[in-house]
Amino acid sequence: MRTQTKETRDKLTPQMALDLLREGNHRFQNNIKAHRDLLEQVNITADGQYPFAAILSCIDSRTSAELIFDQGLGDIFSIRIAGNVLNEDILGSMEFACKLAGSKLIVVMGHSACGAVRGACEGARLGHLSGLLSKIQPSIEAVKESGDAAGDEFIHRVAEDNVARVVEEIRSRSDVIDDMIAKGEVGIVGAMYSVTSGAIEFQEMHCGVPA
């Protein structure tokens, strides 16, 4: 399987980009890895890159986006931070990926058994980590208000809410990205990865219809 070129990437719609990720995760779950000559991809991408998606995920060692979506060199931008939370630098990176580098899709991917989410739920405090975990607090409060989850289920619900909240926050905080979404140039979607099955469950994709 060859890496993306400018021509192949530019022909993709946000839905087609999402379909490529779905297909890649299906291969991953079934242990059918696409054949790639990585050294050839090094040579192909030496003079430029044309990733079709930008994926914000957790730093958890089990959630490497390139592996679980079965993508190669030059195919995706991978943005990783504990708890897949959002900050100004990540927003700027997404604006670069979409507006300047041409990516067609943003994915915000949380996962089951997330240590960062558990730490936030349990009130963990540690140096700079405390500020990071505070970004998950709105989701903790939202799930508490629903009052229908406890234990591990509560933590999982917080992780899901955090993903949806970050998707909305990206749109509300970045006029650049929100405008591209409204025009149908870029899609944005939340997702949850299962560390036990390797499967990804996607939320509804946000993408306007081009005029």
Side-chain angles (χ1 to χ4, degrees), residues 84-129:
N84 43 274
V85 298
L86 191 66
N87 62 31
E88 293 295 322
D89 298 322
I90 290 172
L91 269 178
S93 297
M94 290 178 173
E95 289 173 348
F96 166 79
C98 297
K99 190 67 175 181
L100 299 183
S103 291
K104 304 295 186 178
L105 181 68
I106 295 172
V107 179
V108 178
M109 185 176 71
H111 66 95
S112 62
C114 181
V117 172
R118 179 177 292 276
C121 291
E122 295 178 351
R125 295 291 181 269
L126 178 65
H128 296 291
L129 179 61

Side-chain angles (χ1 to χ4, degrees), residues 141-157:
E141 297 303 322
V143 177
K144 280 183 179 178
E145 289 178 6
S146 69
D148 60 353
D152 289 344
E153 174 63 19
F154 179 85
I155 293 169
H156 190 78
R157 289 278 302 278

